[in-house]
């Protein structure tokens, strides 16, 4: 098939991982990706060949996320029971190593804006200008949030005891 | 002596693999002097590695049916307004490249974007190699993060592993011996790629550090120079040699991986020329010791017909 298809698949896998890292809850994460894709389909005409598909998709995802957060804040949380159930039954991840748990906590303690930048850069490998495009902020802001986020995580891991932050093998 | 001043942004770009060679060198010069900065760089890399450890499992979870559906629809919609790739994936269109450049140029303003227009076949090839490298990187993430299923077949018998993977890929391939740089083959698996089946060989050294060598079919046979790609904390070198595409992947600094790529490249080159004339003979000496040592009498590795064609092309 065309190259385009497999490129898209790679990006969607990346969107799903990012959404999971951002929201932590699998149900919410898949919902977010799904809603973003619905919007992407309806706006496919606005995508220009030769421009950055990945940045385009992440921009859409980010905008959907912002809207979701906003509308959730506006009304009390009303969700169907099934959704809650599956939320409750999300298996705890017990097999994790201490460092992983500490990292999880450190990332969760970050302000949203720093967490988003850190995840997009360090987990999804987006370039800084792609992050700027996706989040709709200047590149200088990307850099300062990245820097503050990384240092905050670093400080947190260092003070949370087991300084045994694994050195990259 | 460079008077280039290294900034905080450079340190991040260094960790994220976004620097060109000159600036990277400047940062490394700085890091050699400044232990505090070096520790920061290392911690940032470790953070990225932990993030992958935490979330890469998502990549192995099947997407919900709705997401799959939407992906297909999006693919269709985008293909409609994508004025490039589907056209030149057809062989007959390649011969009409010049005409097509004109058409795309007029229709899409596509060429207006850059001063020099590379030929569509080149663009196509570059992109598909890039995709190959991305696939190899994803596969590396998948399987090095999973201790139980990291390989489909172990390397206790490298000969059996090679013939298993050769059959899957549809041509003669093998996992080069990297013993001299301290990496031993632990096994491999076959995987679907954009250009047909590919094979992943996994190696580990004594520190448990793992690298994978991904072997597959390039879209066209012409050889390429080494190319480098960085995705988060994972680095990749990829190239085409003979009729085969290779991608070497590892979580390590670019330079370290480059050294290994060189070793792989040398092994593959010498292995190819050494092995080929011996293909029809019985017991090749020296470097293929293990395979002859296991007592298997040269059994025909499953006589799948089309394979012989590709093999001939290979030599």
């Amino acid at each position: 098939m065309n190259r385009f298809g497999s490129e898209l698949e790679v990006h969607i896998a990346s969107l799903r991982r990012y959404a999971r890292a951002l929201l932590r809850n699998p149900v919410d994460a898949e919902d977010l990706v799904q809603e973003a894709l619905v919007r992407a389909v309806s706006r496919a005409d606005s995508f220009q060949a030769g421009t950055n598909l990945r940045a385009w998709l992440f921009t859409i995802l980010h905008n959907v996320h912002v809207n979701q957060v906003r509308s959730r804040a506006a009304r009390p949380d009303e969700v169907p029971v099934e959704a809650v159930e599956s939320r409750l039954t999300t298996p705890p991840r017990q097999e994790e190593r201490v460092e992983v748990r500490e990292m999880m906590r450190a990332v969760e303690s970050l302000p949203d804006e720093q967490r988003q930048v850190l995840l997009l850069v360090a987990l999804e490998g987006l370039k800084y200008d792609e992050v700027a495009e996706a989040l709709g902020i200047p590149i200088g802001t990307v850099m300062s949030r990245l820097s503050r986020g990384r240092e905050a995580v670093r400080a947190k891991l260092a003070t949370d005891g087991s300084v045994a932050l694994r050195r990259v093998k | 002596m460079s008077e280039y001043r290294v900034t905080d942004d450079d340190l991040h770009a260094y960790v994220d693999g976004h620097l060109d060679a000159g600036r990277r060198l400047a940062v490394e010069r700085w890091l050699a002097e400044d232990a505090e900065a070096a520790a920061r760089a290392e911690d940032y890399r470790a953070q990225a590695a932990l993030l992958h450890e935490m979330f890469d499992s998502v990549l192995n979870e099947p997407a919900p049916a709705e997401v799959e559906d939407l992906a297909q629809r999006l693919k269709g919609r985008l293909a409609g307004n994508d004025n490039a790739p589907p056209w030149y994936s057809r062989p007959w269109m390649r011969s009409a490249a010049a005409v097509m450049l004109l058409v795309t140029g007029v229709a899409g303003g596509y060429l207006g974007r850059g001063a020099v227009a590379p030929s569509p076949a080149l663009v196509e090839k570059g992109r598909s190699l890039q995709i190959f490298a991305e696939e190899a990187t994803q596969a590396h993430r998948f399987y090095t993060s999973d201790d139980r299923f990291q390989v489909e077949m172990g390397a206790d018998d490298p000969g059996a592993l090679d013939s298993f993977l050769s059959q899957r890929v549809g041509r003669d391939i093998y996992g080069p011996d990297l013993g001299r740089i301290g990496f031993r083959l632990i096994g491999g698996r076959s995987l679907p790629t954009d250009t047909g089946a590919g094979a992943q060989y996994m190696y580990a050294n004594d520190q448990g550090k793992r690298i994978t060598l991904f072997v597959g079919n390039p879209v066209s046979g012409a050889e390429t120079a080494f190319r480098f790609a960085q995705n988060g904390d994972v680095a990749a070198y990829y190239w085409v040699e003979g009729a085969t595409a290779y991608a070497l992947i590892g979580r390590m600094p670019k330079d370290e991986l480059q050294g290994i790529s060189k070793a792989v490249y040398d092994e593959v080159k010498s292995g190819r020329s050494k092995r080929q004339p011996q293909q029809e003979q019985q017991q090749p000496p020296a470097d293929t010791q293990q395979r002859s040592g296991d007592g298997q009498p040269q059994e025909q590795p499953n006589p799948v017909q089309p394979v012989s064609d590709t093999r001939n092309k290979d030599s």
Side-chain angles (χ1 to χ4, degrees):
Chain A
M1 259 278 303
N2 60 22
R3 319 281 125 212
F4 204 74
S6 67
E7 187 188 344
L8 186 64
E9 269 156 33
V10 170
H11 296 328
I12 289 177
S14 182
L15 292 172
R16 291 178 61 222
R17 178 174 58 188
Y18 172 68
R20 180 74 64 87
L22 187 65
L23 301 177
R24 297 293 314 287
N25 178 300
V27 176
D28 292 347
E30 298 292 3
D31 279 355
L32 173 58
V33 172
Q34 197 177 322
E35 200 173 325
L37 289 178
V38 167
R39 196 186 288 204
V41 168
S42 74
R43 295 191 174 183
D45 292 339
S46 73
F47 176 75
Q48 295 188 334
T51 62
N52 191 326
L53 178 60
R54 174 163 74 164
W56 184 74
L57 288 168
F58 271 97
T59 305
I60 293 175
L61 184 94
H62 174 70
N63 292 339
V64 170
H65 175 58
V66 169
N67 287 340
Q68 284 185 348
V69 170
R70 207 175 282 148
S71 65
R72 257 172 217 159
R75 63 179 160 72
D77 214 4
E78 263 179 55
V79 283
V81 180
E82 313 84 71
V84 176
E85 270 172 357
S86 62
R87 238 167 261 214
L88 294 176
T89 53
T90 302
R93 307 170 50 137
Q94 283 157 340
E95 75 293 353
E96 282 158 358
R97 296 183 301 124
V98 182
E99 310 152 71
V100 172
R101 274 205 304 275
E102 284 176 359
M103 180 70 186
M104 198 74 94
R105 269 204 298 273
V107 172
E108 273 172 5
S109 70
L110 289 178
D112 277 351
E113 52 178 44
Q114 289 175 26
R115 185 166 63 235
Q116 288 167 359
V117 172
L118 180 64
L119 292 174
L120 289 173
V121 169
L123 183 62
E124 299 311 330
L126 264 65
K127 301 205 176 77
Y128 304 141
D129 57 346
E130 292 177 315
V131 178
E133 187 181 335
L135 301 182
I137 54 178
I139 201 158
T141 310
V142 171
M143 297 314 294
S144 65
R145 287 182 188 174
L146 178 63
S147 182
R148 276 182 285 140
R150 277 180 161 157
E151 279 305 305
V153 169
R154 203 169 166 242
K156 188 111 174 114
L157 291 183
T159 54
D160 277 3
S162 78
V163 187
L165 182 55
R166 179 182 58 173
R167 299 296 174 190
V168 179
K169 284 192 163 176
Chain B
M1 283 285 110
S2 130
E3 291 303 307
Y4 178 74
R5 282 189 34 155
V6 184
T7 65
D8 193 56
D9 287 1
D10 288 324
L11 184 65
H12 290 285
Y14 172 72
V15 170
D16 297 321
H18 299 326
L19 290 185
D20 63 38
R23 288 166 71 208
R24 200 175 62 245
L25 216 64
V27 172
E28 282 166 352
R29 197 173 288 139
W30 167 43
L31 294 183
E33 299 287 306
D34 186 338
E36 201 276 332
R40 271 171 65 203
E42 212 169 324
D43 284 350
Y44 293 167
R45 280 207 175 108
Q47 289 178 11
L50 284 170
L51 285 174
H52 283 290
E53 193 171 327
M54 286 153 59
F55 298 112
D56 282 358
S57 59
V58 176
L59 302 176
N60 284 335
E61 295 171 13
E66 295 89 342
V67 168
E68 290 288 356
D69 283 357
L70 285 162
Q72 289 308 320
R73 276 167 60 193
L74 184 56
K75 212 180 279 184
R77 292 292 310 275
L78 289 177
N81 66 350
D82 178 25
N83 52 11
W87 290 14
Y88 26 97
S89 42
R90 297 189 195 144
W92 60 268
M93 264 323 275
R94 292 219 182 111
S95 57
V99 178
M100 204 182 58
L101 275 176
L102 192 65
V103 172
T104 6
V106 172
Y110 182 77
L111 293 184
R113 307 184 63 82
V116 184
S119 88
L122 264 184
V123 173
E124 166 81 349
K125 192 177 136 213
R127 283 186 61 181
S128 98
L129 259 186
Q130 243 172 32
I131 290 169
F132 172 75
E134 277 174 24
E135 287 170 334
T137 304
Q138 296 283 17
H140 179 90
R141 288 198 199 287
F142 282 174
Y143 294 111
T144 55
S145 62
D146 188 335
D147 284 336
R148 286 164 307 167
F149 303 116
Q150 53 182 354
V151 296
E152 189 176 12
M153 182 172 181
D156 316 334
D157 179 352
L161 177 63
D162 285 338
S163 58
F164 165 69
L165 290 177
S166 296
Q167 191 201 340
R168 290 297 183 87
V169 176
R171 64 161 87 199
D172 258 356
I173 57 165
Y174 73 101
D177 182 358
L178 302 180
R180 78 183 162 89
I181 51 165
F183 280 91
R184 62 178 194 288
L185 184 61
I186 56 179
R189 67 169 60 244
S190 65
L191 289 161
T193 78
D194 199 42
T195 49
Q200 181 193 54
Y201 286 97
M202 192 177 292
Y203 296 81
N205 69 2
D206 289 342
Q207 286 80 50
K209 187 193 285 187
R210 279 175 289 181
I211 54 174
T212 57
L213 177 67
F214 202 90
V215 183
N217 304 297
V219 121
S220 72
E223 305 193 348
T224 67
F226 275 21
R227 299 184 195 188
F228 177 74
Q230 178 96 30
N231 184 316
D233 59 333
V234 176
Y237 271 98
Y238 56 104
W239 68 95
V240 175
E241 164 70 27
T244 307
Y246 297 88
L248 182 76
I249 320 287
R251 280 204 165 100
M252 59 179 67
K254 184 177 177 181
D255 296 347
E256 198 180 335
L257 190 69
Q258 187 174 27
I260 302 174
S261 307
K262 180 73 173 59
V264 171
Y265 178 80
D266 292 345
E267 278 297 323
V268 168
K269 262 213 124 128
S270 65
R272 251 165 37 97
S273 50
K274 241 183 286 168
R275 209 159 289 195
Q276 228 125 68
Q278 290 162 347
Q279 234 171 32
E280 300 309 318
Q281 296 172 16
Q282 328 84 323
Q283 299 291 344
D287 68 328
T288 36
Q289 208 86 332
Q290 310 121 301
R291 41 177 76 214
S292 43
D294 60 37
Q296 307 271 15
Q298 282 282 19
E299 54 181 73
Q300 290 288 51
N302 296 334
V304 181
Q305 270 328 310
V307 173
S308 52
D309 292 332
T310 18
R311 251 184 219 149
N312 290 343
K313 236 179 282 164
D314 215 12
S315 42

